[in-house]
Amino acid sequence: MHTSEVRPGMTGYGLSVFRGTKIERFDVEVISVMRNQVGPGHDIVLIRCRGQGLEHSGAVEGMSGSPIYLRDDAGRERLIGAFALGWEHSKDPIAGVRPIEEMLRVPTALAIPSTRPTVVAAGRTWDAVPLVTTAAVPQTIQAANPRTSRLKRLSLPLTVAGLNDSAFARVAPWLRRDGLVPLQGGATAGADADPAAKLEPGAAIGIPIVTGDLDVSALGTVTEVLGDRIYAFGHEFNAEGAVDLPMGVGYVHTVIPTNTISFKMGSLLRLDGAIHSDESTAIAGRVGAVPAMIPVTITVRSPQRPAEQTFRFRITRHPKFTPMGAITGVLAALMSDSAPPVDFTVRYAMKLSFDNGQTVDLSDVATSATGAKQLARDMNVPLMLALGSPFGRAYPTAITATFDVQAGVRLDELRSAVTDQRVYKPGDSVGVFVTTRAYEGADSTRRVAIDLPNDLPDGDYTLTVGDAERMLADETRVAPYRYQVRDLKEVFDLIREVTHRPSTRLYLRLAAHEQGVSVGRTALRGLPPSRVRVLTRPGSADVMAYVPSISKDVPWPSPLSGSTDIEIKVSRTPDKVPRSDGTPNSPPRPPMPGVPVER
């Protein structure tokens, strides 16, 4: 039925699933037709609903896509569109219907290529600094206005089965940042789950992010089926246009009425096909082949369980959902029986195989005292760089990981660092006494050293002593050329450089005085100022200035946290450099008795 045929007072019915897989009717009456409500040429039919408890619950998230049929003057029941919009805090079951004529314009054929084409011109570079520095930091979540009076699309309930309360609280912000409403639920196991249930008008439809031992699926309703073509939701999922996402029959546990907006709690029953279009008016796809998903295997050893546990699940291939699913899967595995001890240390090793033949192996140690930031970085950086690259996406073909959780925190906090003297000659070895404090333990001091170049100019220098996080932050600032990549191979070179910076090492960096110049990822040092000016003139391609530095890292017995800066002076005539009080420079400090020396 065209919206031009709709008049206030017309009656009909809608179809949706309120429990299990059974499709049930509810009554509707047209209130009005709102022209150009959500854009030019986009009308909305306003309806009032009755039955199936809707008088109590109001509009229900998860009903998006429920087909609405109206009786015309000849008594025929004709499809007008999809239940798709509503109001928060509405006291009556009033909803907006997306016209079916708009939904049927959405393509159902696969159009998205398996990898994104290159969008960076040949010879140009991609700056990966913004992505690397934010990979482990969730975006700020803006709280919704609790008194909104705007007719808006119904959110999609995202049922998460396999996470306990602690894990759910940690992962929920990552899900909400993308407009999804995470709900704790359970996977389908009820006897009322009809094995013959199929995708038909009114049936629940699920789009999985993760399936297996962990289940994370968005739930909506099918509006229309034409042959093998499926139309659902009556609004967008992510409004991405061409997509290739798995879909399948959903199962509804129950409807949860609330004072804001009610929702269906459900899960995915099985996979039956793929979504190929995601537009503002509908999602659309076809029944049949299911897109490949990424197999993930995680093995966990923990103090609570003497025997190791293995978890297996699959993640949807998607630039946003793949990293989200991976970090959610890790949390589910680590907190499967209970939260880790309040104070814990986890040693982990991961292997990520990609469809372009690249493999990333990494291992490190994370602790509760630092919020396990190393783990979040190592999970997110490889996936976000490989999937966010403008040179074509590389998806994982498999992810395997092992986590060994131990009670107690093994962490050294850097308390201070002093050099063994104040003035050095070029070519000298700078000795640094580093004092750290074990977590809830005693202080200890070790001596480390870094050699100065023979041609280092005289002057004052800053020596930074610190952990991996400080070194990464400094490097993105003073040596950004290392994060300028020109093809997918260099993207993976960068991934390995960033993730092979373990927390169990102490890092030292001395910033030089001269200005360095880089071309792409190649550093050019020792150039005369005239050559530097020529290379860095405006319009020079792939050329940037940077601050050269001398760096070194030293193995450390435990993960290290903290950093400090030390000021030193370099002079070819150190005996002539006066102290601040005017007296001659003092000789080097002798080694402290019992202080370990790291070469």
Side-chain angles (χ1 to χ4, degrees):
M1 182 181 290
H2 193 279
T3 52
S4 62
E5 303 176 66
V6 179
R7 300 184 308 277
M10 295 180 74
T11 60
Y13 64 91
L15 298 176
S16 200
V17 175
F18 298 93
R19 189 177 187 282
T21 54
K22 183 181 178 182
I23 300 172
E24 299 183 88
R25 287 192 178 200
F26 56 93
D27 296 326
V28 304
E29 179 182 352
V30 175
I31 298 173
S32 183
V33 178
M34 299 187 292
R35 307 292 181 187
N36 302 321
Q37 170 65 21
V38 287
H42 292 282
D43 303 336
I44 294 296
V45 177
L46 203 60
I47 61 171
R48 186 185 303 275
C49 307
R50 297 183 182 88
Q52 303 301 334
L54 292 172
E55 297 91 341
H56 176 60
S57 65
V60 176
E61 292 177 341
M63 286 182 67
S64 291
S66 298
I68 304 299
Y69 300 86
L70 298 178
R71 297 179 186 88
D72 63 15
D73 294 339
R76 295 174 298 174
E77 294 170 343
R78 297 165 61 192
L79 178 63
I80 180 59
F83 186 110
L85 303 99
W87 283 270
E88 291 181 351
H89 303 276
S90 176
K91 296 175 67 176
D92 291 327
I94 297 175
V97 175
R98 175 81 63 183
I100 188 63
E101 60 199 274
E102 298 179 17
M103 296 177 63
L104 293 179
R105 299 187 193 118
V106 179
T108 59
L110 177 63
I112 189 171
S114 58
T115 58
R116 185 171 58 173
T118 299
V119 295
V120 172
R124 303 296 293 177
T125 59
W126 173 49
D127 182 7
V129 168
L131 193 150
V132 170
T133 54
T134 60
V137 182
Q139 298 174 7
T140 301
I141 310 303
Q142 298 295 332
N145 181 356
R147 298 188 61 82
T148 180
S149 58
R150 178 173 58 90
L151 177 66
K152 65 176 186 177
R153 78 168 179 90
L154 296 172
S155 297
L156 297 169
L158 189 77
T159 298
V160 182
L163 287 180
N164 60 26
D165 290 346
S166 298
F168 184 86
R170 292 170 186 255
V171 78
W174 289 82
L175 302 176
R176 292 193 187 100
R177 71 176 183 175
D178 295 312
L180 301 172
V181 181
L183 308 168
Q184 278 186 294
T188 302
D192 55 348
D194 184 359
K198 61 181 181 179
L199 293 172
E200 57 183 317
I205 181 173
I207 299 179
I209 293 175
V210 186
T211 63
D213 291 335
L214 170 69
D215 185 278
V216 182
S217 300
L219 196 68
T221 305
V222 176
T223 306
E224 180 65 300
V225 179
L226 300 173
D228 64 347
R229 293 176 292 157
I230 301 288
Y231 301 86
F233 288 7
H235 56 66
E236 73 276 12
F237 182 31
N238 287 287
E240 296 176 293
V243 294
D244 190 24
L245 298 172
M247 70 171 180
V249 176
Y251 176 94
V252 177
H253 296 289
T254 190
V255 172
I256 306 295
T258 73
N259 291 327
T260 52
I261 190 163
S262 304
F263 58 88
K264 290 183 182 180
M265 179 175 287
S267 56
L268 188 69
L269 185 58
R270 66 168 186 273
L271 294 175
D272 285 322
I275 296 296
H276 295 318
S277 292
D278 178 7
E279 299 189 2
S280 62
T281 56
I283 61 168
R286 293 179 182 262
V287 174
V290 176
M293 300 181 73
I294 303 163
V296 179
T297 304
I298 296 179
T299 301
V300 177
R301 292 185 289 269
S302 66
Q304 295 95 328
R305 296 293 180 95
E308 65 181 29
Q309 295 177 281
T310 299
F311 303 87
R312 294 179 174 86
F313 43 87
R314 294 181 297 162
I315 302 175
T316 294
R317 288 165 52 101
H318 186 275
K320 180 168 59 180
F321 296 148
T322 297
M324 180 194 299
I327 197 69
T328 304
V330 168
L331 285 172
L334 290 176
M335 300 183 175
S336 60
D337 296 305
S338 64
V342 174
D343 294 330
F344 69 85
T345 300
V346 55
R347 298 182 180 275
Y348 58 90
M350 290 183 277
K351 179 176 182 178
L352 298 88
S353 302
F354 291 84
D355 56 13
N356 65 339
Q358 295 278 357
T359 300
V360 175
D361 293 282
L362 54 91
S363 60
D364 205 349
V365 183
T367 74
S368 56
T370 58
K373 287 185 290 187
Q374 289 286 109
L375 175 55
R377 184 200 70 187
D378 285 348
M379 283 297 303
N380 281 309
V381 166
L383 295 174
M384 294 179 72
L385 282 174
L387 298 177
S389 156
F391 309 107
R393 291 191 179 112
Y395 279 98
T397 55
I399 300 174
T400 58
T402 301
F403 297 91
D404 187 357
V405 183
Q406 302 169 357
V409 171
R410 291 153 183 81
L411 177 71
D412 286 347
E413 180 186 359
L414 195 151
R415 304 290 292 175
S416 66
V418 295
T419 54
D420 56 2
Q421 60 190 75
R422 190 177 67 89
V423 183
Y424 297 89
K425 293 190 297 183
D428 278 355
S429 179
V430 178
V432 184
F433 294 98
V434 180
T435 300
T436 59
R437 177 171 296 174
Y439 186 77
E440 297 183 345
D443 289 356
S444 62
T445 301
R446 289 175 176 267
R447 183 185 184 277
V448 299
I450 183 171
D451 295 333
L452 302 179
N454 292 321
D455 59 350
L456 190 66
D458 288 7
D460 295 319
Y461 291 85
T462 299
L463 175 64
T464 299
V465 181
D467 57 13
E469 185 178 5
R470 171 67 187 275
M471 291 301 113
L472 178 63
D474 282 357
E475 189 176 74
T476 57
R477 178 175 53 84
V478 302
Y481 74 92
R482 297 176 64 89
Y483 299 84
Q484 310 301 305
V485 291
R486 293 173 292 187
D487 54 41
L488 198 55
K489 179 184 178 300
E490 288 192 353
V491 170
F492 277 87
D493 291 341
L494 177 60
I495 289 172
R496 295 186 185 93
E497 290 173 16
V498 173
T499 56
H500 286 67
R501 201 184 298 266
S503 61
T504 52
R505 300 186 82 84
L506 175 74
Y507 297 85
L508 301 99
R509 187 182 66 82
L510 184 78
H513 281 174
E514 79 271 18
Q515 184 182 36
V517 176
S518 66
V519 179
R521 302 188 79 221
T522 302
L524 305 176
R525 293 192 60 179
L527 296 178
S530 59
R531 184 63 57 85
V532 171
R533 287 195 297 271
V534 170
L535 287 174
T536 56
R537 69 184 186 277
S540 300
D542 304 334
V543 176
M544 63 174 56
Y546 77 100
V547 179
S549 60
I550 304 112
S551 60
K552 180 181 180 179
D553 58 270
V554 178
W556 207 255
S558 298
L560 188 71
S561 175
S563 64
T564 189
D565 294 327
I566 311 171
E567 302 301 323
I568 66 170
K569 183 179 288 291
V570 174
S571 174
R572 283 168 172 74
T573 55
D575 55 325
K576 296 182 180 180
V577 177
R579 294 166 55 94
S580 58
D581 59 4
T583 61
N585 186 46
S586 59
R589 297 186 181 93
M592 299 180 183
V595 173
V597 177
E598 303 289 345
R599 297 292 181 187

